Amino acid sequence: MANGKKKLPVTEPLITSWQWHATLFSILSGDENAKKWIFSNYIQLRCYNIEEIFTGDDMLFADIMPGSSSLKECPYLITSLLTADQIKSYCGDIVDFIIKTIDLGGYVYGVFDEAKILSDVDVDYKFPHELFIYGYDIDGEGFYCGDFTFKDKYGHNKLTFEEVRKGYDVITASEDHMFKDDYKGRRGLYVIFKNTDTCYYDVDTTLIRDTLREYLNSQDTKDHFRMMRNRFSDTTFGVEVYDRALERIEKQMAKDEPDFDIRALHIMYDHKVLMLERIKYLMANGYLNYDEDLIKSYEEVVKNILAARNLLIKISISEDVSEASRFKTYFNLAKEKEVAVLLEVLSRLDQRAK
């Protein structure tokens, strides 16, 4: 086993709504080459109904495209999917495997039972969740990890070797939703290497324009990728995600005992944060002329969606729905302003392309 302590580079991620985004942005947020790919993507929103993996409840799942597949598709990451059988054959022990991977410069990402990690006693339930591991401390017998679970928001934490071992060993293939979602049907881990020394991908203004148009027109972007997997039948795209999310929230508020799922609002807020940074980036790098008024206009979009999200959190805690109309006002203002600003951005990009 290695000696001492080793941490691979991580930064505070720009967006964190889902673990796959937090992981990619933890590795790549500060890299100039990676920004060329990041700001050419993450434009389209989508949502659809799924069965919540922990409770079995109906859930409106919202995400920015690319979603979890970004860890494999991003040209500035080299990702290997290793099955549990491979890991056992190569190293036997999961702790030894992770340490050796980190020594080679590889980050580790996969599904662990965080109920085993959180509880000091045996529990009769599981909480399968993705964990990002970027370092180790031999003397302290622990791994440095990124996760949502342990601080109620995304943060970097330290877990013991034994906690990680227990969390890994009990997950079955059917509970490994990352491999299952990749249609591999197996149990395993992702090994991720940073790949930013060479520019493999430049800013793609044609893709930005096409995807902005699809976002504003609520067009079915996923049809471009149907050769990779079958389609969900009820997916909503683009600005219509506002309408679908608002419909779900209004149904929640109408219940005698309101039961809120605010995850869609988290991803929508991150979408606006990233769009604002994209506009600034395009201006800073000469793809758009600098326009402070346009930036300030989109800052209003971010401000209103943040106000809507924070108010919904407050309502979910107090269960006082008397401020529902104020929430709806913030929400609709964000949509109206965003459409106006992005139509202008698209028009200017189209003009420069002629």
Side-chain angles (χ1 to χ4, degrees), residues 48 62 77 82 94 164 184 201 231 253 297 303 328:
Y48 49 86
L77 298 176
L82 297 180
I94 185 61
V164 170
K184 302 294 187 291
Y201 190 105
R231 296 297 316 282
M253 288 186 178
S297 292
K303 179 181 176 181
K328 189 173 180 179

Side-chain angles (χ1 to χ4, degrees), residues 48-63:
Y48 49 86
N49 291 323
I50 63 170
E51 182 181 289
E52 217 279 345
I53 61 173
F54 305 120
T55 65
D57 295 337
D58 184 55
M59 169 190 171
L60 182 66
F61 177 86
D63 202 1

